[in-house]
Amino acid sequence: MATDVFAGVRLARTPVYGTKGMVVSGHSLASTAGLRTLDRGGSLVDAMISTSATLSVVLQQATSLGGDAFFLYHDASEGRTIGLNATGHAPDGATDEYYKEGIPDRGPNAVSVPGMIRGWERLHERYGKLPWEDLFDDAIDAAEAHPASRVMTAGLDLFRDDVMADPACRSLYFDEAGNRMQAGDILRQPALAETLRKIANGKSATYYEGDIAKSIGDYAVANGGLLGADQFAGYEPEWVDPLSTVYRGHTVQVMPPNSYGMLMLLQLNGLSALTSEQLADNDTDRLDYLIRAMQGAFTLGQPYISDPRVVDIPVDHLLGAETTENLQDCVVNGTDPTTFENKGGTSCIVIADGDGNAMSVVQSVFHVFGSAFMDPGTGILMNNRMTGFRVDPADPRNVAPRKRPSHTLNPVMVLKDRKPKYLMTTPGGPGQTLSMVQLLSNLLDRGMELTTAIEYPRWSVGLDGSFMLEDGYSEDIANELGRRGHAVKHGSGASYFGSAKTIEILENGVLTGAADTRREASAVGR
C-alpha cells in the first residue's frame, strides 16, 4: 500500500466498492464493527454507533467517551438532511473571572460536558433498528484487548510530558520505567470495558445521571475542576438544520455554529468567483486562490463561531450576497493573513447504505489526548473543549456557564439533484475546512478520481500561523507563493494535513469508499 510521492501525487490505495453498505473510519476495527452491524440487519445509525464506540476505544488520543460529536444524517425516505449537535457546554462557574489567568490546555479545568453518548441515544431512538444493548460488543471486546495503533503510540512521543503527568494515562500507556507502548502492543482497558457495559445496559442515563457522571465528576472536583456530577445531569443534544451553499451545481451541507462548517461554505463562496479552469491549470495559482479564500473566510467568519443559543450570529448575512461579493474580492485581490492554532485530536466516520441513507460524523476530544485527564474509575479520557473559548467579554466566543465552545469539527455532505453524492470528513483542527475545500475542488474543479483527489498534496496552516505545503509541492512553488505575499514552508504530518474519509455514491447507486493513507484509516463495503 504505497504512500510514496510520484509526480507530486501519493500513490493512492484502491477504492472500495459496495452496493449494500459502506463504512469509512479512522481504524480498521471500527469500520469492521460498523459493517458487521449492517450485516446483522442494523440500520445506518446502528452501524454508526458501533463504529463510533469502537473508535472511542482504539483511538482515544483522538476521540473518547469523554468527547463530543456532530452528526449529519440524510434520510432517503424523507429526502432531507438533519443535523444533531452533540457538543457539550461549559460547567457552572466557568466565567471569564474564573479563567482570568487563561484557560488551561490540559487538566480538569479544560473539560466541558461531553455530548456524544446522549447524541448516540437520540439518534438511535429515531433511526435505530437493533436493540441498543447489541451495539457495543465490538467496542467492549476492543477495550478488553486490542493492538495499540501506530498513530496513537506516535502521539505519545509528541505529547509525552502531558500524558505522563496524569496518573491514569501514565499507568495505561507507559511501563514503570517510563517507556511508552509500541505499535502492536496489546492495550487492555478493563475499566473502560466495564463503562461500556454500563452504557449498553443503562443507556445514556447511566452516563449523565448515574454512576459514570458521579465517578468523573467526583474525580474532577477532587483535582480542582469545576465539572462535578451535577453538571452532567439533564444534558441534551440539539437537532438542527444544516447550512448549505451551492458550488459547481452541488449542494454542500455542513453543521451550523458552533461548528467551523460555515467557514468552509464561506471559502467555497469566495472561490465561486473563479472558473474551474482557473483552479485546475496551475498549482501555484490554485494555491494562491485557496489561501486567499481561507484568509477572507476566517477573517469574516471565525469570530462568530460560537453558541447561537447565547450569541446572535448573522448567518444569513455571512452567507448572503454582500458577504459573498466581499469574499470573492478577497480571492481575486488578496487580503492579510489570518493565523490560528492547529493541534487537533479528532476521528471521523462516513457511512452509507444501499437505500440512499447517508451519514457524516466527526467526533473528538479536541487536542491530541484531549485534556490528558483520565478518570481511573471509568477509564474515560476527557476532552479539552474549554480551550475553544476566549477570555474576553467583547468576543462572541467569551467563556460563560452553560455555553458551548466553538468547535473545529466539520462533517460534510454534498448533494447532487437532492441526493447524497459525496460524504466527506477529516481530522485536523481548524485545518479541517481547508482540507475539505481542497478535496472538493479536486473532485469538482479538477475532475479527479476519488482516491487521487484524497492523496493529492495539500496545504495547511502551522502552529505559528505560517502556510505549510505538504511534500510533493516543489520549492519553486513555495518561493513563488512567498513572492506573492504568503509566508510558505514545507511541512509534513497528518495533524496538519488531515486524513480524509470519503464515500462517493455513483449515479447507479454503487458506493465507492476511500480512506486517506496519511493515517491508519479504513474503508470497508459489501
Side-chain angles (χ1 to χ4, degrees), residues 367-422:
H367 296 171
V368 178
F369 291 102
S371 61
F373 182 75
M374 180 181 288
D375 169 37
T378 61
I380 295 177
L381 181 68
M382 303 304 292
N383 70 80
N384 68 334
R385 278 292 166 189
M386 291 298 294
T387 56
F389 286 114
R390 301 293 185 270
V391 184
D392 180 359
D395 193 308
R397 297 162 292 180
N398 187 45
V399 64
R402 299 279 164 168
K403 184 178 181 181
R404 295 181 301 207
S406 63
H407 275 257
T408 56
L409 309 186
N410 178 43
V412 181
M413 192 169 294
V414 181
L415 275 59
K416 178 68 173 176
D417 299 327
R418 302 173 63 88
K419 296 180 180 179
K421 175 65 174 176
Y422 299 109

Short mmCIF file of all heavy atoms in Angstrom, two decimals, residues 367-422:
data_model
loop_
_atom_site.label_atom_id
_atom_site.label_comp_id
_atom_site.label_asym_id
_atom_site.label_seq_id
_atom_site.Cartn_x
_atom_site.Cartn_y
_atom_site.Cartn_z
N HIS A 367 -7.71 18.65 21.29
CA HIS A 367 -6.27 18.45 21.13
C HIS A 367 -5.94 16.96 21.28
O HIS A 367 -6.72 16.20 21.85
CB HIS A 367 -5.49 19.26 22.15
CG HIS A 367 -5.65 20.74 21.98
ND1 HIS A 367 -5.18 21.64 22.89
CD2 HIS A 367 -6.24 21.48 21.00
CE1 HIS A 367 -5.46 22.88 22.50
NE2 HIS A 367 -6.11 22.79 21.36
N VAL A 368 -4.79 16.55 20.76
CA VAL A 368 -4.39 15.15 20.87
C VAL A 368 -4.30 14.78 22.35
O VAL A 368 -3.66 15.45 23.15
CB VAL A 368 -3.04 14.92 20.16
CG1 VAL A 368 -2.61 13.47 20.32
CG2 VAL A 368 -3.15 15.29 18.68
N PHE A 369 -5.00 13.70 22.72
CA PHE A 369 -5.19 13.24 24.10
C PHE A 369 -6.04 14.22 24.92
O PHE A 369 -6.07 14.14 26.15
CB PHE A 369 -3.85 12.96 24.80
CG PHE A 369 -3.14 11.76 24.25
CD1 PHE A 369 -2.07 11.91 23.38
CD2 PHE A 369 -3.54 10.48 24.57
CE1 PHE A 369 -1.42 10.81 22.85
CE2 PHE A 369 -2.89 9.36 24.04
CZ PHE A 369 -1.82 9.54 23.18
N GLY A 370 -6.78 15.09 24.25
CA GLY A 370 -7.73 15.96 24.94
C GLY A 370 -7.11 16.71 26.10
O GLY A 370 -6.08 17.38 25.95
N SER A 371 -7.75 16.59 27.24
CA SER A 371 -7.26 17.26 28.45
C SER A 371 -6.12 16.50 29.11
O SER A 371 -5.57 16.97 30.12
CB SER A 371 -8.40 17.42 29.46
OG SER A 371 -8.90 16.14 29.83
N ALA A 372 -5.76 15.32 28.57
CA ALA A 372 -4.79 14.43 29.23
C ALA A 372 -5.20 14.22 30.68
O ALA A 372 -4.36 14.15 31.58
CB ALA A 372 -3.37 14.97 29.12
N PHE A 373 -6.50 14.09 30.90
CA PHE A 373 -7.07 13.89 32.23
C PHE A 373 -8.02 12.72 32.14
O PHE A 373 -9.08 12.82 31.51
CB PHE A 373 -7.80 15.16 32.70
CG PHE A 373 -8.39 15.06 34.08
CD1 PHE A 373 -7.58 15.14 35.20
CD2 PHE A 373 -9.76 14.91 34.25
CE1 PHE A 373 -8.12 15.06 36.48
CE2 PHE A 373 -10.32 14.83 35.52
CZ PHE A 373 -9.49 14.91 36.64
N MET A 374 -7.63 11.58 32.70
CA MET A 374 -8.42 10.35 32.61
C MET A 374 -8.95 9.97 33.98
O MET A 374 -8.20 9.91 34.96
CB MET A 374 -7.55 9.22 32.05
CG MET A 374 -8.27 7.88 31.92
SD MET A 374 -7.22 6.55 31.27
CE MET A 374 -7.08 7.05 29.56
N ASP A 375 -10.26 9.71 34.03
CA ASP A 375 -10.86 9.22 35.27
C ASP A 375 -10.53 7.75 35.43
O ASP A 375 -10.96 6.92 34.61
CB ASP A 375 -12.38 9.44 35.21
CG ASP A 375 -13.10 8.71 36.33
OD1 ASP A 375 -12.54 8.67 37.45
OD2 ASP A 375 -14.20 8.18 36.08
N PRO A 376 -9.78 7.36 36.45
CA PRO A 376 -9.40 5.95 36.60
C PRO A 376 -10.58 5.04 36.89
O PRO A 376 -10.54 3.85 36.58
CB PRO A 376 -8.40 5.97 37.76
CG PRO A 376 -8.71 7.22 38.52
CD PRO A 376 -9.19 8.20 37.52
N GLY A 377 -11.65 5.59 37.46
CA GLY A 377 -12.80 4.76 37.78
C GLY A 377 -13.56 4.28 36.57
O GLY A 377 -14.14 3.18 36.57
N THR A 378 -13.57 5.09 35.50
CA THR A 378 -14.30 4.73 34.29
C THR A 378 -13.38 4.42 33.12
O THR A 378 -13.84 3.85 32.12
CB THR A 378 -15.23 5.88 33.86
OG1 THR A 378 -14.45 7.05 33.59
CG2 THR A 378 -16.26 6.19 34.94
N GLY A 379 -12.12 4.82 33.21
CA GLY A 379 -11.21 4.66 32.09
C GLY A 379 -11.44 5.63 30.96
O GLY A 379 -10.95 5.44 29.85
N ILE A 380 -12.20 6.71 31.22
CA ILE A 380 -12.56 7.67 30.18
C ILE A 380 -11.56 8.82 30.17
O ILE A 380 -11.35 9.49 31.18
CB ILE A 380 -13.98 8.21 30.37
CG1 ILE A 380 -15.01 7.09 30.21
CG2 ILE A 380 -14.27 9.33 29.38
CD1 ILE A 380 -16.44 7.53 30.47
N LEU A 381 -10.96 9.05 29.00
CA LEU A 381 -10.11 10.22 28.78
C LEU A 381 -11.00 11.38 28.38
O LEU A 381 -11.81 11.28 27.46
CB LEU A 381 -9.11 9.92 27.67
CG LEU A 381 -8.13 11.04 27.32
CD1 LEU A 381 -7.15 11.27 28.46
CD2 LEU A 381 -7.38 10.70 26.03
N MET A 382 -10.86 12.52 29.05
CA MET A 382 -11.76 13.64 28.86
C MET A 382 -11.26 14.64 27.81
O MET A 382 -10.06 14.76 27.57
CB MET A 382 -11.98 14.37 30.19
CG MET A 382 -12.52 13.47 31.30
SD MET A 382 -14.07 12.63 30.87
CE MET A 382 -15.19 14.03 30.81
N ASN A 383 -12.20 15.34 27.23
CA ASN A 383 -11.91 16.37 26.22
C ASN A 383 -11.25 17.60 26.84
O ASN A 383 -11.24 17.77 28.07
CB ASN A 383 -13.20 16.79 25.52
CG ASN A 383 -14.12 17.59 26.44
OD1 ASN A 383 -13.94 18.78 26.66
ND2 ASN A 383 -15.11 16.91 27.02
N ASN A 384 -10.73 18.48 26.00
CA ASN A 384 -10.30 19.82 26.46
C ASN A 384 -10.96 20.91 25.63
O ASN A 384 -10.33 21.86 25.18
CB ASN A 384 -8.78 19.96 26.48
CG ASN A 384 -8.15 19.97 25.10
OD1 ASN A 384 -8.70 19.42 24.15
ND2 ASN A 384 -6.98 20.58 24.98
N ARG A 385 -12.27 20.77 25.44
CA ARG A 385 -13.03 21.70 24.62
C ARG A 385 -13.16 23.10 25.22
O ARG A 385 -13.51 24.05 24.51
CB ARG A 385 -14.42 21.12 24.36
CG ARG A 385 -14.43 20.12 23.24
CD ARG A 385 -14.15 20.77 21.91
NE ARG A 385 -13.83 19.81 20.87
CZ ARG A 385 -13.38 20.14 19.67
NH1 ARG A 385 -13.15 21.40 19.37
NH2 ARG A 385 -13.11 19.21 18.78
N MET A 386 -12.87 23.26 26.50
CA MET A 386 -12.92 24.60 27.07
C MET A 386 -11.94 25.54 26.36
O MET A 386 -12.15 26.76 26.35
CB MET A 386 -12.62 24.56 28.57
CG MET A 386 -13.69 23.89 29.41
SD MET A 386 -15.30 24.72 29.35
CE MET A 386 -14.90 26.28 30.13
N THR A 387 -10.91 24.98 25.75
CA THR A 387 -9.95 25.82 25.04
C THR A 387 -10.52 26.43 23.76
O THR A 387 -9.86 27.25 23.12
CB THR A 387 -8.68 25.03 24.71
OG1 THR A 387 -9.02 23.87 23.95
CG2 THR A 387 -7.96 24.59 25.99
N GLY A 388 -11.74 26.03 23.40
CA GLY A 388 -12.42 26.68 22.28
C GLY A 388 -13.02 28.02 22.62
O GLY A 388 -13.50 28.74 21.74
N PHE A 389 -12.99 28.38 23.90
CA PHE A 389 -13.49 29.69 24.33
C PHE A 389 -12.37 30.73 24.29
O PHE A 389 -11.19 30.40 24.22
CB PHE A 389 -14.01 29.61 25.77
CG PHE A 389 -15.33 28.91 25.92
CD1 PHE A 389 -15.42 27.70 26.62
CD2 PHE A 389 -16.49 29.46 25.39
CE1 PHE A 389 -16.63 27.06 26.79
CE2 PHE A 389 -17.72 28.81 25.55
CZ PHE A 389 -17.79 27.62 26.24
N ARG A 390 -12.75 31.98 24.37
CA ARG A 390 -11.85 33.10 24.61
C ARG A 390 -12.15 33.67 26.00
O ARG A 390 -13.24 33.43 26.54
CB ARG A 390 -12.01 34.19 23.56
CG ARG A 390 -11.76 33.72 22.13
CD ARG A 390 -10.30 33.35 21.90
NE ARG A 390 -10.04 33.02 20.51
CZ ARG A 390 -10.14 31.81 20.00
NH1 ARG A 390 -10.53 30.81 20.77
NH2 ARG A 390 -9.87 31.57 18.73
N VAL A 391 -11.22 34.39 26.55
CA VAL A 391 -11.45 35.10 27.80
C VAL A 391 -11.42 36.59 27.48
O VAL A 391 -10.41 37.27 27.60
CB VAL A 391 -10.40 34.74 28.87
CG1 VAL A 391 -10.73 35.42 30.19
CG2 VAL A 391 -10.36 33.23 29.08
N ASP A 392 -12.56 37.08 26.98
CA ASP A 392 -12.69 38.45 26.52
C ASP A 392 -14.18 38.78 26.41
O ASP A 392 -14.85 38.31 25.50
CB ASP A 392 -12.00 38.63 25.17
CG ASP A 392 -12.11 40.06 24.62
OD1 ASP A 392 -12.73 40.92 25.29
OD2 ASP A 392 -11.57 40.30 23.52
N PRO A 393 -14.71 39.59 27.33
CA PRO A 393 -16.15 39.88 27.31
C PRO A 393 -16.63 40.50 25.99
O PRO A 393 -17.82 40.40 25.67
CB PRO A 393 -16.32 40.87 28.47
CG PRO A 393 -15.18 40.58 29.39
CD PRO A 393 -14.03 40.20 28.50
N ALA A 394 -15.73 41.10 25.22
CA ALA A 394 -16.13 41.71 23.95
C ALA A 394 -16.16 40.71 22.80
O ALA A 394 -16.64 41.04 21.71
CB ALA A 394 -15.17 42.86 23.61
N ASP A 395 -15.68 39.50 23.04
CA ASP A 395 -15.60 38.48 21.99
C ASP A 395 -16.83 37.58 22.06
O ASP A 395 -17.18 37.10 23.15
CB ASP A 395 -14.32 37.66 22.17
CG ASP A 395 -13.99 36.80 20.96
OD1 ASP A 395 -14.88 36.05 20.50
OD2 ASP A 395 -12.84 36.87 20.49
N PRO A 396 -17.50 37.30 20.93
CA PRO A 396 -18.65 36.39 20.96
C PRO A 396 -18.31 35.00 21.50
O PRO A 396 -19.19 34.28 21.95
CB PRO A 396 -19.07 36.30 19.49
CG PRO A 396 -18.56 37.56 18.86
CD PRO A 396 -17.28 37.86 19.59
N ARG A 397 -17.04 34.65 21.49
CA ARG A 397 -16.60 33.33 21.96
C ARG A 397 -16.19 33.36 23.44
O ARG A 397 -15.60 32.39 23.94
CB ARG A 397 -15.45 32.83 21.09
CG ARG A 397 -15.83 32.62 19.63
CD ARG A 397 -14.61 32.57 18.74
NE ARG A 397 -13.94 33.88 18.67
CZ ARG A 397 -12.84 34.13 17.96
NH1 ARG A 397 -12.27 33.15 17.29
NH2 ARG A 397 -12.30 35.34 17.95
N ASN A 398 -16.51 34.43 24.14
CA ASN A 398 -16.12 34.56 25.55
C ASN A 398 -16.71 33.42 26.38
O ASN A 398 -17.85 33.01 26.20
CB ASN A 398 -16.62 35.90 26.10
CG ASN A 398 -16.12 36.17 27.50
OD1 ASN A 398 -14.95 35.96 27.80
ND2 ASN A 398 -17.01 36.64 28.37
N VAL A 399 -15.92 32.91 27.29
CA VAL A 399 -16.34 31.79 28.13
C VAL A 399 -17.49 32.21 29.04
O VAL A 399 -17.54 33.34 29.53
CB VAL A 399 -15.15 31.27 28.97
CG1 VAL A 399 -14.64 32.31 29.95
CG2 VAL A 399 -15.50 29.98 29.67
N ALA A 400 -18.46 31.30 29.24
CA ALA A 400 -19.60 31.57 30.11
C ALA A 400 -20.24 30.25 30.52
O ALA A 400 -20.18 29.26 29.78
CB ALA A 400 -20.64 32.44 29.40
N PRO A 401 -20.85 30.20 31.70
CA PRO A 401 -21.50 28.97 32.15
C PRO A 401 -22.59 28.50 31.19
O PRO A 401 -23.33 29.31 30.62
CB PRO A 401 -22.10 29.36 33.50
CG PRO A 401 -21.30 30.54 33.95
CD PRO A 401 -20.93 31.28 32.71
N ARG A 402 -22.66 27.19 30.98
CA ARG A 402 -23.70 26.54 30.16
C ARG A 402 -23.64 26.95 28.69
O ARG A 402 -24.56 26.68 27.93
CB ARG A 402 -25.09 26.83 30.73
CG ARG A 402 -25.29 26.31 32.15
CD ARG A 402 -25.59 24.83 32.18
NE ARG A 402 -25.42 24.24 33.49
CZ ARG A 402 -25.84 23.02 33.83
NH1 ARG A 402 -26.46 22.28 32.92
NH2 ARG A 402 -25.63 22.54 35.03
N LYS A 403 -22.56 27.59 28.26
CA LYS A 403 -22.35 27.98 26.87
C LYS A 403 -21.50 26.93 26.18
O LYS A 403 -20.60 26.35 26.78
CB LYS A 403 -21.66 29.34 26.83
CG LYS A 403 -21.45 29.94 25.44
CD LYS A 403 -20.78 31.31 25.56
CE LYS A 403 -20.57 31.98 24.22
NZ LYS A 403 -19.90 33.30 24.37
N ARG A 404 -21.78 26.67 24.90
CA ARG A 404 -20.99 25.73 24.13
C ARG A 404 -19.80 26.44 23.50
O ARG A 404 -19.96 27.53 22.92
CB ARG A 404 -21.82 25.06 23.05
CG ARG A 404 -22.94 24.18 23.59
CD ARG A 404 -23.73 23.50 22.49
NE ARG A 404 -24.35 24.44 21.58
CZ ARG A 404 -25.46 24.19 20.87
NH1 ARG A 404 -26.07 23.02 21.00
NH2 ARG A 404 -25.96 25.09 20.06
N PRO A 405 -18.62 25.85 23.54
CA PRO A 405 -17.45 26.46 22.90
C PRO A 405 -17.50 26.29 21.39
O PRO A 405 -18.29 25.50 20.85
CB PRO A 405 -16.27 25.68 23.50
CG PRO A 405 -16.85 24.33 23.80
CD PRO A 405 -18.28 24.59 24.23
N SER A 406 -16.65 27.03 20.69
CA SER A 406 -16.51 26.82 19.25
C SER A 406 -15.85 25.48 19.00
O SER A 406 -15.03 25.00 19.79
CB SER A 406 -15.69 27.95 18.62
OG SER A 406 -14.38 27.97 19.14
N HIS A 407 -16.22 24.84 17.88
CA HIS A 407 -15.71 23.52 17.52
C HIS A 407 -15.19 23.55 16.09
O HIS A 407 -15.87 24.01 15.18
CB HIS A 407 -16.83 22.47 17.60
CG HIS A 407 -17.04 21.90 18.96
ND1 HIS A 407 -16.60 20.66 19.32
CD2 HIS A 407 -17.67 22.41 20.05
CE1 HIS A 407 -16.93 20.42 20.59
NE2 HIS A 407 -17.58 21.46 21.05
N THR A 408 -13.99 23.02 15.90
CA THR A 408 -13.43 22.92 14.57
C THR A 408 -14.04 21.79 13.75
O THR A 408 -13.80 21.67 12.55
CB THR A 408 -11.91 22.71 14.65
OG1 THR A 408 -11.65 21.56 15.45
CG2 THR A 408 -11.23 23.92 15.29
N LEU A 409 -14.84 20.93 14.39
CA LEU A 409 -15.39 19.73 13.74
C LEU A 409 -16.29 20.11 12.57
O LEU A 409 -17.16 20.98 12.68
CB LEU A 409 -16.17 18.90 14.75
CG LEU A 409 -15.45 18.58 16.06
CD1 LEU A 409 -16.29 17.63 16.91
CD2 LEU A 409 -14.07 18.01 15.81
N ASN A 410 -16.11 19.39 11.45
CA ASN A 410 -16.78 19.81 10.21
C ASN A 410 -17.17 18.60 9.35
O ASN A 410 -16.53 18.31 8.34
CB ASN A 410 -15.83 20.73 9.41
CG ASN A 410 -16.44 21.16 8.08
OD1 ASN A 410 -17.62 21.51 8.01
ND2 ASN A 410 -15.64 21.13 7.03
N PRO A 411 -18.24 17.87 9.71
CA PRO A 411 -18.75 16.85 8.79
C PRO A 411 -19.39 17.52 7.58
O PRO A 411 -20.00 18.59 7.69
CB PRO A 411 -19.80 16.11 9.64
CG PRO A 411 -20.26 17.13 10.64
CD PRO A 411 -19.06 17.98 10.93
N VAL A 412 -19.24 16.89 6.43
CA VAL A 412 -19.70 17.48 5.16
C VAL A 412 -20.53 16.46 4.40
O VAL A 412 -20.16 15.29 4.31
CB VAL A 412 -18.50 17.93 4.30
CG1 VAL A 412 -18.99 18.57 3.00
CG2 VAL A 412 -17.61 18.90 5.06
N MET A 413 -21.62 16.93 3.81
CA MET A 413 -22.42 16.12 2.92
C MET A 413 -22.69 16.95 1.66
O MET A 413 -23.13 18.09 1.74
CB MET A 413 -23.74 15.70 3.58
CG MET A 413 -24.49 14.62 2.82
SD MET A 413 -25.88 13.93 3.77
CE MET A 413 -25.02 13.12 5.11
N VAL A 414 -22.39 16.36 0.49
CA VAL A 414 -22.54 17.06 -0.79
C VAL A 414 -23.62 16.35 -1.59
O VAL A 414 -23.53 15.14 -1.85
CB VAL A 414 -21.21 17.07 -1.57
CG1 VAL A 414 -21.38 17.83 -2.88
CG2 VAL A 414 -20.11 17.70 -0.72
N LEU A 415 -24.65 17.10 -1.97
CA LEU A 415 -25.79 16.54 -2.70
C LEU A 415 -25.76 16.97 -4.16
O LEU A 415 -25.34 18.08 -4.50
CB LEU A 415 -27.11 17.00 -2.07
CG LEU A 415 -27.67 16.21 -0.89
CD1 LEU A 415 -26.69 16.19 0.27
CD2 LEU A 415 -29.01 16.81 -0.43
N LYS A 416 -26.20 16.08 -5.02
CA LYS A 416 -26.42 16.37 -6.43
C LYS A 416 -27.82 15.92 -6.77
O LYS A 416 -28.18 14.76 -6.54
CB LYS A 416 -25.39 15.63 -7.29
CG LYS A 416 -25.55 15.84 -8.79
CD LYS A 416 -25.24 17.27 -9.21
CE LYS A 416 -25.24 17.39 -10.73
NZ LYS A 416 -25.04 18.81 -11.16
N ASP A 417 -28.63 16.83 -7.29
CA ASP A 417 -30.03 16.53 -7.60
C ASP A 417 -30.76 15.99 -6.37
O ASP A 417 -31.52 15.02 -6.44
CB ASP A 417 -30.13 15.53 -8.75
CG ASP A 417 -29.51 16.06 -10.04
OD1 ASP A 417 -29.59 17.28 -10.26
OD2 ASP A 417 -28.94 15.27 -10.80
N ARG A 418 -30.46 16.60 -5.21
CA ARG A 418 -31.15 16.35 -3.93
C ARG A 418 -30.80 14.99 -3.32
O ARG A 418 -31.42 14.58 -2.34
CB ARG A 418 -32.67 16.48 -4.10
CG ARG A 418 -33.12 17.84 -4.61
CD ARG A 418 -34.61 17.84 -4.90
NE ARG A 418 -35.38 17.62 -3.69
CZ ARG A 418 -35.77 18.59 -2.86
NH1 ARG A 418 -35.48 19.86 -3.13
NH2 ARG A 418 -36.48 18.31 -1.78
N LYS A 419 -29.81 14.31 -3.87
CA LYS A 419 -29.37 13.03 -3.31
C LYS A 419 -27.91 13.11 -2.93
O LYS A 419 -27.12 13.79 -3.59
CB LYS A 419 -29.58 11.89 -4.33
CG LYS A 419 -31.04 11.64 -4.68
CD LYS A 419 -31.15 10.49 -5.68
CE LYS A 419 -32.60 10.21 -6.05
NZ LYS A 419 -32.72 9.10 -7.04
N PRO A 420 -27.49 12.39 -1.87
CA PRO A 420 -26.07 12.43 -1.48
C PRO A 420 -25.16 11.95 -2.62
O PRO A 420 -25.41 10.92 -3.24
CB PRO A 420 -26.01 11.48 -0.29
CG PRO A 420 -27.39 11.47 0.27
CD PRO A 420 -28.29 11.60 -0.92
N LYS A 421 -24.13 12.75 -2.87
CA LYS A 421 -23.12 12.41 -3.87
C LYS A 421 -21.78 12.11 -3.21
O LYS A 421 -21.13 11.11 -3.53
CB LYS A 421 -22.97 13.56 -4.86
CG LYS A 421 -21.85 13.39 -5.89
CD LYS A 421 -22.11 12.24 -6.83
CE LYS A 421 -21.04 12.18 -7.92
NZ LYS A 421 -21.23 11.00 -8.79
N TYR A 422 -21.35 12.99 -2.29
CA TYR A 422 -20.11 12.79 -1.56
C TYR A 422 -20.36 12.95 -0.06
O TYR A 422 -21.03 13.90 0.36
CB TYR A 422 -19.04 13.81 -1.97
CG TYR A 422 -18.63 13.75 -3.41
CD1 TYR A 422 -18.99 14.76 -4.30
CD2 TYR A 422 -17.86 12.69 -3.90
CE1 TYR A 422 -18.60 14.73 -5.63
CE2 TYR A 422 -17.47 12.64 -5.23
CZ TYR A 422 -17.85 13.67 -6.09
OH TYR A 422 -17.47 13.62 -7.41
#
